[in-house]
């Protein structure tokens, strides 16, 4: 039984995509968008779609890119009262083009946009004071002042018996000494860790899976859920057997947002008391369903949609 909303803090963006596969943006291209985006926004939208109580602290500009995001989140049931609308900065944006090798080229406007200007308003404080869970994304630490805001929010939520999840969401090449220290500090505050692929090893600073899981459990983490793309996901917990859940077989149209939909679904299931094996299955379904739609937030799912998807989609095992 959940106590108080799940909240996220971080970037809201629009995503604008090239309609053709290729390298970069060096000549005129056909583009499609704007689509609502930003990892924490996708996450919290998926929590709300599943009927979970959900709120977000973020900033957008006073422009259509901001309005389309707020309207989407509101329509899907997210508490948008702590999203600030700034008059002096535009809404953040990401232009993306997929390369033939499966990689992506980006043009970002985040750091100097509203997305990079988080403000702890009275409304944000009020949301934190009601929250029962906070989900933190590694990517959000690019925002100045994020560390202090997250620290305050965690302390408040913990003081009422709430919990913390963390998606480290970091690439090894981008891991500075400073972010390493931050990640270590957060790992000691985390109840549920949601790494993908080698992030598990990076987070632990250890080269094999079993030792990495044990080292992270020793920090006080109670559940680790490892995302493995189309191969599915695995669950680890102290004193419990590992659970592996095969991925669903789908045609991948747009991979962006899979990890966020997965994490939001797993967390929401667990907050509702659903056991880990079933939560993994719902989460795999949410990730797989999201990649079949173009646009990072266009494939978010209700419980009913996930049940239909699970009943009708083969898995890799
Ligand atoms: P992102 O690419 O959004 O950062 P991530 O790397 O955090 O995501 P992934 O492992 O790519 O996480 O995806 C999360 C989950 O979504 C997977 O564990 C899987 O269940 C599902 N998923 C992702 N891609 C596919 C796919 N191509 N086919 C089937 N399921 C998928
Ligand atoms: Mg991925």
């Amino acid at each position: 039984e959940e106590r108080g909303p799940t909240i996220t803090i971080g970037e809201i963006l629009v995503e604008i995509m090239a309609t053709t596969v290729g390298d970069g943006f060096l000549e005129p291209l056909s583009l499609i968008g704007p689509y609502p985006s930003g990892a924490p926004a996708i996450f919290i939208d998926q929590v709300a779609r599943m009927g979970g109580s959900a709120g977000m602290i973020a900033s957008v500009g006073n422009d259509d890119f901001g309005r389309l995001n707020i309207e989407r989140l509101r329509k899907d049931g997210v508490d948008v009262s702590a999203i600030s609308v700034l008059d002096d900065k535009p809404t953040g944006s990401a232009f993306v083009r997929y390369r033939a090798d499966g990689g992506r080229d980006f043009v970002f406007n985040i750091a100097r946009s509203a997305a990079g200007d988080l403000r702890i308003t009275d409304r944000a404080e009020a949301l934190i004071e009601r929250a029962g869970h906070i989900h933190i994304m590694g990517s959000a630490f690019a925002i100045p002042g994020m560390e202090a805001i997250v620290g305050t929010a965690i302390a408040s939520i913990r003081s009422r018996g709430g919990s913390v999840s963390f998606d480290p969401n970091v690439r090894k090449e981008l891991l500075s000494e400073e972010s390493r220290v931050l990640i270590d500090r957060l790992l000691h505050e985390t109840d549920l860790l949601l790494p993908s692929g080698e992030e598990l090893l990076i987070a632990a600073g250890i080269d094999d899976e079993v030792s990495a899981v044990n080292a992270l459990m020793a920090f006080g983490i109670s559940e680790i859920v490892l995302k493995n793309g189309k191969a599915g996901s695995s669950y680890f917990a102290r004193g419990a057997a590992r659970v592996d859940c095969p991925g669903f077989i789908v045609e991948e149209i747009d991979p962006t947002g899979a990890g966020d939909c997965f994490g939001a679904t797993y967390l929401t299931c667990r907050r509702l008391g659903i056991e880990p094996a079933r939560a993994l299955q719902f989460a795999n379904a949410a990730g797989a369903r999201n990649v079949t739609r173009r646009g990072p937030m266009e494939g978010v799912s209700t419980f009913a949609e996930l049940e239909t998807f699970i009943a009708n989609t083969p898995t890799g095992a």
Side-chain angles (χ1 to χ4, degrees), residues 4-119:
T6 294
I7 66 166
T8 54
I9 308 178
E11 71 279 10
I12 286 178
L13 310 173
V14 290
E15 186 166 309
I16 297 167
M17 272 174 269
T19 58
T20 53
V21 169
D23 294 334
F25 294 91
L26 292 167
E27 74 268 4
L29 295 169
S30 293
L31 302 169
I32 184 162
Y35 290 104
S37 190
I42 298 163
F43 183 98
I44 208 65
D45 200 69
Q46 173 63 22
V47 171
R49 285 288 280 170
M50 296 193 71
S53 174
M56 182 170 188
I57 299 171
S59 299
V60 298
N62 187 5
D63 53 35
D64 282 353
F65 289 175
R67 283 187 277 279
L68 88 87
N69 269 291
I70 290 178
E71 277 322 306
R72 171 65 66 84
L73 293 169
R74 192 203 315 274
K75 175 173 83 60
D76 285 348
V78 177
D79 178 339
V80 297
S81 64
I83 299 176
S84 298
V85 179
L86 310 186
D87 281 320
D88 56 343
K89 286 182 180 154
T91 299
S93 60
F95 289 76
V96 60
R97 189 176 189 196
Y98 290 96
R99 281 194 236 116
D101 67 6
R104 291 177 266 190
D105 286 322
F106 287 102
V107 175
F108 287 122
N109 170 34
I110 300 178
R112 290 179 181 75
S113 75
D117 190 351
L118 269 180
R119 298 182 185 181

Side-chain angles (χ1 to χ4, degrees), residues 106-154:
F106 287 102
V107 175
F108 287 122
N109 170 34
I110 300 178
R112 290 179 181 75
S113 75
D117 190 351
L118 269 180
R119 298 182 185 181
I120 293 303
T121 58
D122 291 349
R123 286 166 160 214
E125 271 171 8
L127 180 61
I128 288 170
E129 277 162 24
R130 283 187 282 117
H133 182 92
I134 182 166
H135 178 72
I136 296 156
M137 305 251 168
S139 60
F141 285 96
I143 299 174
M146 192 64 182
E147 188 190 355
I149 294 169
V150 162
T152 308
I154 290 176

Side-chain angles (χ1 to χ4, degrees), residues 196 227-230 232-233 248 250 252 255 257-259 262 284 287-288 291:
S196 86
K227 296 168 274 180
N228 273 321
K230 63 176 159 217
S233 56
F248 290 94
V250 294
E252 184 178 289
F262 176 98
N284 278 351
V291 305

